Amino acid sequence: MNHQEAERTEATAAALRARLPWTPEILAVLGSGLGALADAVEAPISIPFHDLPGLPAAGVGGHQGRFVAGMLEGRRVLIQAGRYHFYEGHPAGVVLAPVRAAALLGVPTLLVTNAAGGVNPDFGPGTLMLIRDHLNLMGQNPLVGPGAPGEPRFPDMSVAYDSDLRALAQRTAEQLGIPLEEGVYAAVSGPSYETPAEVRMIGLMGGDAVGMSTVPEVIVARARGMRVLGISLITNPGAGISSRPLSHQEVLEAGEEAAPRFQRLTRGILAAPDPTWGTREPGVVSP
Ligand code: HPA
């Protein structure tokens, strides 16, 4: 991240702060087809990306490209519906701007979600997978560059996905009777889907799911000291696991089918009276 990008991200954060009545407890990044959670927010304040300096409009089918701030299950949430991907040609400074802006606001926790292909043959479409760890196979790391203020040069990734938050997610899933698998998310750059050989390779490397997002955000969030909880929705069998060709339409449809379950789980996790989740205050949403 160069000096100019750092200044741009600070401008994004300042503009975002000016629109928020409080500091959010959680930044929730919603993946393809999972954006409906933003509609459940109470007293929502909607902030399209293009209203904020430094953020271009985002646009992949199923991605809305806005922040929604408000209360969800009694917590102050900032929802990022839509995200930037490297495959759209955005530089790292843009892809990571929302997470960096949230970190600059003092948001302590990142909940990151995505649609992913199933590599583990037991994880069929509709499976919710708690991310235990990741493989960065994107061919790039978002921290390459001169280094950003507030980010260590060599951040630790040994527990990228917070173990207390993972335990909370598992407990909540069990209480709600929602099946929740756990596994390793492998990130590739896309935008072409994988070949069957690549899916086999990812399986041999220990990956359970494959997708084109999340890892850059998690790396930056960890570098900035945020705690991370990640959930993948398996939308399709990885290439070669089924004989059908992959399509983005299939990904969106699986998102729609799983949305109610995904929402129940996420809201249950937010509602949990767990001290590890952050402080709970009766947030007052005012203009
Ligand atoms: N591969 C990569 N990304 C994806 C997939 C997939 O099979 N499904 C949804 N996102």
Side-chain angles (χ1 to χ4, degrees):
M1 192 187 212
N2 59 36
H3 184 66
Q4 225 178 4
E5 285 173 329
E7 276 186 353
R8 252 202 323 259
T9 305
E10 270 166 36
T12 308
L16 188 55
R17 185 182 285 120
R19 300 282 295 269
L20 301 177
W22 28 246
T23 302
E25 292 169 88
I26 294 146
L27 171 67
V29 181
L30 304 181
S32 296
L34 299 173
L37 191 67
D39 301 328
V41 168
E42 293 156 35
I45 303 166
S46 181
I47 309 163
F49 288 170
H50 57 74
D51 273 9
L52 297 171
L55 294 188
V60 181
H63 291 214
Q64 302 163 39
R66 62 182 176 133
F67 286 111
V68 179
M71 302 305 291
L72 200 54
E73 302 297 335
R75 296 204 184 275
R76 304 182 303 274
V77 296
L78 178 63
I79 295 202
Q80 181 189 330
R83 52 156 59 112
Y84 303 106
H85 300 84
F86 286 115
Y87 64 68
E88 294 166 292
H90 295 299
V94 166
V95 174
L96 282 318
V99 173
R100 283 191 168 120
L104 286 173
L105 292 184
V107 179
T109 311
L110 171 68
L111 165 64
V112 67
T113 67
N114 58 58
V119 174
N120 183 327
D122 295 337
F123 295 179
T127 301
L128 291 173
M129 186 191 92
L130 184 61
I131 305 177
R132 183 174 62 241
D133 204 349
H134 73 221
L135 290 166
N136 182 7
L137 305 177
M138 290 186 134
Q140 59 184 324
N141 187 296
L143 303 182
V144 168
E151 291 172 15
R153 185 71 295 194
F154 304 110
D156 176 53
M157 288 288 143
S158 49
V159 189
Y161 300 84
D162 190 89
S163 42
D164 289 336
L165 291 177
R166 269 190 283 139
L168 169 60
Q170 287 290 15
R171 266 199 313 279
T172 307
E174 205 167 303
Q175 278 160 10
L176 295 175
I178 298 173
L180 181 63
E181 302 291 347
E182 194 166 315
V184 173
Y185 175 86
V188 294
S189 75
S192 57
Y193 287 115
E194 302 68 45
T195 61
E198 287 163 347
V199 168
R200 281 197 302 276
M201 174 191 75
I202 290 167
L204 287 170
M205 292 171 118
D208 295 294
V210 57
M212 305 175 192
S213 67
T214 299
V215 162
E217 286 105 322
V218 171
I219 290 174
V220 168
R222 291 303 300 137
R224 292 195 172 252
M226 294 173 83
R227 299 166 70 215
V228 176
L229 177 65
I231 302 174
S232 292
L233 167 67
I234 308 297
T235 53
N236 55 278
I241 290 182
S242 108
S243 52
R244 277 194 305 143
L246 272 48
S247 78
H248 188 57
Q249 190 54 33
E250 182 182 5
V251 170
L252 296 181
E253 281 169 14
E256 223 163 87
E257 181 277 323
R261 249 176 322 128
F262 170 76
Q263 252 197 57
R264 270 205 314 133
L265 176 62
T266 318
R267 296 183 70 149
I269 293 170
L270 291 175
D274 193 298
T276 64
W277 193 226
T279 48
R280 181 196 270 274
E281 287 169 32
V284 178
V285 182
S286 55

